[in-house]
Amino acid sequence: MTTPEQPGLRPELPPLAPEFAAGAVDRYFSLSARGSTWRREIVAGISTFLALSYIVVVNPAVLGQAGIPHAAAFFATAAVGGLATTTMGLWARLPFAVAPGMEMNAMIAFSVVGTLAYTWPQALGMVFWSGIAMLAVSLLRLREAVINAIPPPMRSALAAAVGTFIGLIGLQISHLVTTSHGRLSGLGDWTAPPAIALYLGLATALVLDALGARAAAVLGGITAAAVYCAFAGIRAQALHESIHGSGAALLRFDLTVIADPRAWSVVLVLFALDFFGSIAKVVGLSAHTPLQDGSGKVPGMRQALLVDAGATVAGSAAGSTSFVAFVESAVGIRAGARTGIAALVTGLLLLSCLFLSPLLAHLPVEATTGALVFVAVRMLTAPHPDRADRPVRSGRADRLGPAVTATAVGVTLATLAIDQAMAAAFLVTTAASVLSRRPPHPALWVTTTVLTASVLLQYLNH
């Protein structure tokens, strides 16, 4: 009788070849299918991190105005943002970073706590309930239905609105423009070091981009950071966080706040900002890129929407406001990010911030502005592939695209709010459908109504 040890009866399997393992990873992330490489994804992930790294400084500072302990807000920003971005890369396999939305933290600090006089635990409770609502509609695929109902002209308009928003963030950080109560109020100092950092970073990025460098934006930022520190000096930001004290807001949210009828409108506004803001950003970031398939849809969309909804719930439990797909992901996408590998790199770098807070205290936030404005310019000047292969025609349908885009960009400039720009775009599109006697998609009617109601509630709360 033969034994298992005899040759030929149970041949040993050869060890797993590195090429096979690499091929499995390639297939899982669709790396080759989307025309990307490991090097390109890693550089793009680093680019996204450098572009959004200011949030770990700014978010705790803003939430500190509401009374949330700095260490807790810092921990929530880095830990929840890092884990959510890593999950985005591994599960949704998309190059989107997840971080606290600046619209939401400002609303909580200056409106909900500052004006309406709620306590910060009550405010975090409102964020929690808005996140639960987001999870519910994401599981029911309502956000996917809205996204799939958006016509091509509006997708281009939302991409332009997101690009405008990114550019305005860069102009604000560099103090080229000033704001008051969430609105542009005037021009700033165009000769100060922050402004010069923007000029230098933007010029460097434009030159490198013309030479074909994919990492033009991040290289421009590094150049601006080096020159800025050389002339303005290295100074510490108002960041003195550490791991100690990071649990000061853990599970401190007040969930009973939902019993207060006054809080319902706040929860609805937070929900609307997250619901429609994330739609605008995901559509805008993926427009005119290989992230969309042939039908204009984004594979992994459902997972991506669930990730940002879950991050909002987790963030409220840790001490931060709503988490969203961050617009600065456009920097990485511009650098070539096409898969979740870039998000995985960005997420790991965000997690590393938990141990690098002393270094981050000296980060020149102004050095990111050139990259932001560069990406904004590229998004605003991107070609529209949906028009590339069809003959030029005249008529109402061909005038709708520019009209919706101009409306979305104009409202973004006037309000600094993506959701309000989206509301205006929906209104114009729906009105055009009615005037042309073509019944709008039911999702357009519902979305336009809900968006308009949420915008009105925001103004009533102010």
Side-chain angles (χ1 to χ4, degrees):
M1 181 180 291
T2 58
T3 63
E5 288 75 22
Q6 284 182 294
L9 184 65
R10 188 176 294 176
E12 290 186 4
L13 293 174
L16 187 64
E19 294 81 3
F20 179 83
V25 173
D26 185 301
R27 288 191 298 274
Y28 180 80
F29 286 105
S30 302
L31 190 63
S32 298
R34 291 185 176 177
S36 191
T37 64
W38 277 95
R39 178 181 177 278
R40 188 179 300 168
E41 294 293 318
I42 291 171
V43 171
I46 296 172
S47 301
T48 297
F49 169 75
L50 292 176
L52 64 78
S53 57
Y54 72 88
I55 197 65
V56 298
V57 177
V58 174
N59 194 50
V62 173
L63 294 181
Q65 302 297 312
I68 297 177
H70 272 247
F74 174 78
F75 174 79
T77 303
V80 177
L83 290 173
T85 303
T86 301
T87 304
M88 180 72 78
L90 290 175
W91 188 34
R93 290 174 269 186
L94 290 170
F96 300 149
V98 182
M102 290 296 292
E103 313 99 309
M104 288 78 158
N105 62 20
M107 177 183 171
I108 289 296
F110 303 115
S111 179
V112 177
V113 175
T115 302
L116 300 179
Y118 282 102
T119 64
W120 66 263
Q122 290 175 320
L124 292 179
M126 298 176 196
V127 174
F128 172 85
W129 289 116
S130 72
I132 291 296
M134 285 292 298
L135 274 175
V137 298
S138 297
L139 288 170
L140 294 172
R141 299 195 171 191
L142 293 180
R143 283 203 287 179
E144 284 181 88
V146 173
I147 290 172
N148 293 334
I150 296 176
M154 191 183 295
R155 292 177 182 268
S156 296
L158 293 179
V162 170
T164 303
F165 186 71
I166 293 173
L168 288 173
I169 291 175
L171 295 178
Q172 284 181 271
I173 295 175
S174 63
H175 308 306
L176 285 176
V177 297
T178 59
T179 59
S180 177
H181 304 293
R183 300 287 185 272
L184 292 175
S185 59
L187 300 178
D189 189 346
W190 288 52
T191 59
I196 295 173
L198 184 148
Y199 306 148
L200 181 60
L202 177 59
T204 304
L206 288 171
V207 170
L208 291 174
D209 183 63
L211 295 174
R214 284 190 170 272
V218 67
L219 292 173
I222 293 173
T223 302
V227 175
Y228 185 86
C229 290
F231 286 92
I234 299 178
R235 70 194 190 285
Q237 307 277 356
L239 180 68
H240 46 272
E241 286 68 305
S242 65
I243 296 298
H244 304 293
S246 59
L250 192 63
L251 299 179
R252 290 282 304 278
F253 46 24
D254 183 356
L255 302 186
T256 64
V257 72
I258 197 65
D260 180 0
R262 290 192 311 138
W264 298 347
S265 63
V266 176
V267 172
L268 177 58
V269 170
L270 288 171
F271 169 80
L273 283 171
D274 200 348
F275 184 95
F276 295 110
S278 60
I279 288 176
K281 290 165 187 173
V282 169
V283 171
L285 290 171
S286 61
H288 319 314
T289 72
L291 297 176
Q292 293 185 345
D293 59 20
S295 62
K297 296 181 180 179
V298 180
M301 175 70 71
R302 181 168 183 261
Q303 293 89 331
L305 298 176
L306 285 169
V307 168
D308 85 352
T312 293
V313 175
S316 67
S320 180
T321 47
S322 305
F323 281 71
V324 297
F326 223 55
V327 291
E328 282 77 2
S329 303
V331 175
I333 293 172
R334 177 61 193 169
R338 296 295 181 265
T339 75
I341 296 172
L344 183 59
V345 172
T346 304
L348 293 175
L349 289 172
L350 274 171
L351 288 172
S352 73
C353 293
L354 294 171
F355 311 100
L356 299 176
S357 58
L359 177 62
L360 291 171
H362 302 282
L363 176 73
V365 179
E366 296 84 355
T368 66
T369 57
L372 295 177
V373 174
F374 167 75
V375 170
V377 170
R378 299 301 297 175
M379 290 185 72
L380 289 168
T381 58
H384 294 186
D386 56 305
R387 300 179 187 175
D389 299 323
R390 67 180 187 180
V392 177
R393 297 176 302 171
S394 60
R396 187 189 303 273
D398 296 283
R399 292 194 298 268
L400 178 60
V404 176
T405 299
T407 300
V409 170
V411 173
T412 303
L413 288 169
T415 65
L416 302 184
I418 290 290
D419 65 309
Q420 295 185 35
M422 190 175 181
F426 268 97
L427 281 169
V428 171
T429 303
T430 304
S433 297
V434 172
L435 291 173
S436 62
R437 298 181 181 179
R438 290 175 300 168
H441 192 287
L444 283 180
W445 280 115
V446 175
T447 304
T448 301
T449 303
V450 174
L451 260 174
T452 304
S454 70
V455 170
L456 291 174
L457 277 174
Q458 291 179 54
Y459 283 100
L460 289 175
N461 281 331
H462 286 307

